[in-house]
Amino acid sequence: MNARGGTIFRQLFDRSCCCFTYLIGDKYQKTALLIDPVLEQVDRDLKLVKELGLETKSKNFRKELACGIQQRFHNLTILRTNYLEYASAAFMCWIHEQALLAKHCSLKYVLNTHVHADHITGSGLIKDRLNTNGKLQVLSIVSESSGAEADICVDDGEVIDCGLVKLNVTYTPGHTNGCMSLIDHYNKRVFTGDALFIRGCGRTDFQEGSPSKLYDSVHSRLFTLPDDYSVYPAHDYNGHTMSTIGEEKKFNPRMVTSKEEFIEIMENLNLDYPKMLGELVD
Amino acid sequence: MNARGGTIFRQLFDRSCCCFTYLIGDKYQKTALLIDPVLEQVDRDLKLVKELGLETKSKNFRKELACGIQQRFHNLTILRTNYLEYASAAFMCWIHEQALLAKHCSLKYVLNTHVHADHITGSGLIKDRLNTNGKLQVLSIVSESSGAEADICVDDGEVIDCGLVKLNVTYTPGHTNGCMSLIDHYNKRVFTGDALFIRGCGRTDFQEGSPSKLYDSVHSRLFTLPDDYSVYPAHDYNGHTMSTIGEEKKFNPRMVTSKEEFIEIMENLNLDYPKMLGELVD
């Protein structure tokens, strides 16, 4: 679970829906994002964000900052007589503001790799909790192609910038039309959402699912990454926590087949519908 | 989940008992060990060991190797006339044997940080599966102080040697008398068993449990490690997968207290007895 350089990386798990949430942060610039937060785990996730020094700015942070700066400027200018001295006082205030900003860190984004049919995202609740007083400190992100509502809709090829961490958006439709994977080249890993699982893949029998599209997505967008890139999926049902592109190319039973065989497998899985599907797509 | 240099590292999870199993391997010397394997997950774990090229030598490996070497020596010596040429043929056979050995990798140890009361270890079954024909290719390890039976009983301060990976045995009694933690200084991480959990610790109300001993173990043996060492416990019930020594020192609610408070907390937890306790300690 180590991460290179100044990046923080945590994998979190929800046992009831077998969902993974990922917390990624920049230790120095104090920015962070959460991938696929689960509604029931918002308290756990925000607690960790806070403990790791990546919490959002406090409710009164802007007010406190403004008061502090005003007071400081007043103290600094009380004996000044000319513009140069006023300018120098203003500069000192700017330094003070930067120091305060650095102390108060920020969760910047909550990101969903797709609209889930088997659990409800925690994005909304996290925003409600942290975006107080109408300030948009935490922004939600989904793919443009998902058709879902969010503060930012990203397109294939775009880069999500979160300090040292840059996530390359790669569309990987098939489970849903709006599925995206996120590639972190710096740390050599990819968050595959419900496109690619460890020795498996997302189902394709509802929500615009298409086995043909999914096969192409995995083979042309994910299996073209270097073999040593780590694979971090949105779910796992067998107790695995990560894999690599090289392993999945060799051992993923659904992906070592031909496209025709894959389509046949996926069309004959006969799975139950996810419990929460009605709730989510109605 | 990255590991430095040529070491392989995987964290595996069992949802029903919330147990973590760790697979650690040396990519080059092709040796590996499993920490705290769970009985019900033996198939999963051995499959992964095999896929990662760390499986034990095949049943007939020694026989195949001997036949191959014999044949090769015969071919090489058929036209030789003096001892120097025989010696050179023998050297070529040695090279051949080493190449074969490198191709056939080996799971070397199955290790238990303690005797678990809440699940049955997979060590025995793994040995049964892999130690065919009376060959001890996989050896089980427990601490000397556990009083349990194993092929190797290690003492405080000993080093378990598995290729590039060296695990320093550190006794951390308290949950049971025989609990040990394993420190991997090379990769800056510690496997804490049931001594230290993420924001928690093992219970102390059965199997020779002692809150006083546990508090001392954590504070004197684990919290004296550098803050940036990763913490990998034997269990987690809240979906966390790892932590650091620095974090636990700051945020572990049971460990930020005084020893007296800790003892009071631990003596008043009023937990149910583990379901499998009778089965395991009778």
Side-chain angles (χ1 to χ4, degrees), chain A residues 160-172:
Chain A
I160 295 164
D161 195 314
C162 187
L164 273 177
V165 183
K166 319 278 177 206
L167 296 177
N168 285 58
V169 173
T170 306
Y171 275 11
T172 43

Side-chain angles (χ1 to χ4, degrees), chain A residues 58-59 127-137:
Chain A
S58 69
K59 200 173 156 185
K127 284 182 58 188
D128 285 350
R129 291 267 185 89
L130 303 181
N131 292 351
T132 45
N133 295 336
K135 294 266 189 322
L136 283 184
Q137 287 172 351

Side-chain angles (χ1 to χ4, degrees), chain B residues 42-101:
Chain B
V42 163
D43 284 334
R44 175 199 68 185
D45 297 352
L46 290 186
K47 191 164 180 265
L48 183 64
V49 163
K50 189 174 174 181
E51 287 172 348
L52 294 182
L54 298 165
E55 76 177 318
T56 194
K57 292 161 188 70
S58 69
K59 198 172 156 185
N60 296 315
F61 173 70
R62 296 276 163 199
K63 210 167 138 190
E64 283 163 21
L65 187 67
C67 288
I69 301 289
Q70 204 173 17
Q71 188 58 45
R72 197 174 169 86
F73 190 70
H74 177 74
N75 293 344
L76 282 168
T77 53
I78 212 154
L79 293 172
R80 307 285 164 194
T81 52
N82 64 36
Y83 288 118
L84 195 65
E85 285 181 322
Y86 272 98
S88 126
F91 179 68
M92 289 308 292
C93 283
W94 179 80
I95 297 282
H96 178 64
E97 186 181 352
Q98 292 307 308
L100 273 173
L101 275 167

